[in-house]
Structures are given as structure tokens and as C-alpha cells.
Amino acid sequence: MVVGLLAAAMFLKFIKKDHSWKCKYDERQELVRGRGFKYGFFTMLAYQWGYIVYGEFLEKIAIREVVMTFGIVLGLVVYVSYAVLNEGYFSLNENPRRVVILFAIIAAGNLLIGLAQIPLGRFFVNGVISFPAVNVMLGLMMLFVLILLFVKRFCKKESEEGQEDE
């Protein structure tokens, strides 16, 4: 836990241009982030309702921790997607390049940890998806965010070039 807290502190300091702890957003970004949080929350709420209805079936496929983490990851993906697509994700004092580098490291680390468990027989236990799937889910989520950031940047660059031609 201490290592995790230290890593989080270093992460927050590393990604800020001004090395502050707090992210600074303008009013438009705050509105976008608020809507994104709302959509992510309702996604998790719908997922939890589905878990109530289909939980017994889902736990035959994967352990409860994996099933529950999937709901959290789903909500995060909805929030991040909305925030990125509406330019409310990066704070004004964040260095996007550093964030992308750290996201790539986190994605690669989680995918390596999770996928390394398959040949060891720890990914599937008694025919049920086990805890290493959480690492794979988190790695795939971070990979999705990276792809989304690159697509958004490419589309933004294309639209800016299109406006210059007019």
C-alpha cells in the first residue's frame, strides 16, 4: 500500500508542468468532466443492475472480483472516452506527453503481468477466469485510452489543417 501511495504521488508530480499536486481545469473542462462522470456513473449503475440479475451466471465464467472490476473499468472507459472526445481530460497544468508515457508503461506492465499468468495456469482456475484477468482488463483499458488519445490528436490535427486550407 505504501509503495502504491508513493507511486501515485510520484505520478502526480511527474505529469504536472508546474509540479503542483492539484489539477487546474477551466470552466468548460469542469462541465465536460462532470458530464463524463455522470455517464460513467450511470454506466456502472446499469452494470451493477445487470450483475444483480445475471450475477450467478457471470460468476460461473469469472470470479466475483473480476466481474466487479469489469463494471468499474466499463464506467471508467465511458468517463475517459467522453472527457477525451470533448477535450476535458487533460488539465491546464498537465504535460500530455508525460501522461501518455506513464499510461503506456502502466498498460504494458499490467498486460505483461496478466498475460504471463496464462502459461503458469493461474489465469483460469477450475475453468473460471481468475484474478490475473484484472491486470489484463486494466492494461487493455489503458491501451484503449492511449489509442483514443492518439485518434483524438490525429483528428484534431486533420481538422486544423483543413481549416488552414480554407
Side-chain angles (χ1 to χ4, degrees), residues 72-90:
I72 295 167
V73 167
L74 195 59
L76 285 170
V77 164
V78 169
Y79 157 69
V80 170
S81 297
Y82 186 83
V84 167
L85 294 174
N86 292 285
E87 297 182 14
Y89 190 70
F90 292 114

Side-chain angles (χ1 to χ4, degrees), residues 12-70:
L12 289 173
K13 285 291 226 179
F14 178 72
I15 63 171
K16 301 292 187 303
K17 293 176 187 172
D18 58 2
H19 301 291
S20 69
W21 293 97
K22 190 170 170 128
C23 294
K24 297 170 184 158
Y25 298 97
D26 63 23
E27 296 82 15
R28 186 195 58 75
Q29 288 177 305
E30 289 286 351
L31 288 171
V32 166
R33 289 171 50 82
R35 276 191 220 108
F37 282 129
K38 179 174 69 173
Y39 297 146
F41 169 77
F42 283 116
T43 300
M44 286 194 302
L45 193 65
Y47 182 85
Q48 293 304 314
W49 182 255
Y51 180 72
I52 290 168
V53 175
Y54 299 106
E56 195 172 315
F57 168 74
L58 293 172
E59 288 179 13
K60 290 179 182 175
I61 298 170
I63 63 171
R64 182 179 312 134
E65 291 84 356
V66 172
V67 174
M68 296 302 290
T69 302
F70 183 75

Side-chain angles (χ1 to χ4, degrees), residues 87-160:
E87 297 182 14
Y89 190 70
F90 292 114
S91 69
L92 301 173
N93 61 334
E94 271 181 330
N95 183 326
R97 174 172 277 152
R98 289 181 182 173
V99 173
V100 166
I101 290 168
L102 284 172
F103 281 6
I105 292 168
I106 293 168
N110 273 296
L111 286 170
L112 287 173
I113 290 168
L115 295 175
Q117 302 305 309
I118 294 173
L120 300 174
R122 296 182 188 146
F123 196 88
F124 295 99
V125 176
N126 298 326
V128 176
I129 299 171
S130 191
F131 197 76
V134 170
N135 289 102
V136 174
M137 277 191 291
L138 294 174
L140 290 174
M141 177 188 73
M142 297 304 286
L143 189 60
F144 173 80
V145 171
L146 286 169
I147 291 168
L148 187 63
L149 288 169
F150 285 121
V151 167
K152 177 65 179 174
R153 184 173 181 190
F154 177 76
C155 291
K156 187 176 181 180
K157 197 178 276 190
E158 288 290 315
S159 69
E160 288 173 357

